Amino acid sequence: MSRGRPQKVADLIQRELADLLRREVRDPRVGMVTITSVDVSPDLSHAKIFFTTLSKEHLTETTQGLQRAASFLRSQLARRMSMYTTPELRFVYDESVERGDRLSQLIDSVIPPKS
């Protein structure tokens, strides 16, 4: 089964952004950030970047730092990727990891441990 172009572009953006965040972004608000997934629009003009971070108490500052770095990251992506246009980047906190952990805790609290 063949993956579509938006998915291939999303995978490439995810790899490149992870590298750029680790090596190039110097904003102190952007600490330990993990890119969990990328959704690219069918026309490749917009990319929604889902991320998670270790410290949830600084989530607002981290999101602001990422939004501030979005234009820099987009220009760096344009240099690394050979595309006609580079998608606009929008960063969104990924709550799925947190939600999964909460569900796991609820299941563990209902099911008694085996002896």
Side-chain angles (χ1 to χ4, degrees), residues 30-101:
V30 180
M32 294 295 294
V33 172
T34 302
I35 304 296
T36 55
S37 68
V38 176
D39 287 341
V40 178
S41 65
D43 65 353
L44 306 177
S45 64
H46 295 83
K48 192 184 297 187
I49 316 299
F50 293 93
F51 72 93
T52 187
T53 182
L54 290 175
S55 61
K56 181 142 189 220
E57 61 266 4
H58 300 294
L59 180 59
T60 305
E61 293 86 10
T62 302
T63 304
Q64 289 172 350
L66 287 169
Q67 291 297 354
R68 174 89 184 202
S71 61
F72 167 75
L73 292 169
R74 185 179 182 202
S75 68
Q76 293 300 310
L77 282 174
R79 289 186 179 144
R80 291 179 175 211
M81 299 169 55
S82 57
M83 291 179 51
Y84 181 71
T85 61
T86 304
E88 288 186 36
L89 307 178
R90 187 167 60 104
F91 290 90
V92 179
Y93 180 70
D94 187 1
E95 296 178 352
S96 65
V97 174
E98 202 173 285
R99 222 177 297 131
D101 188 41

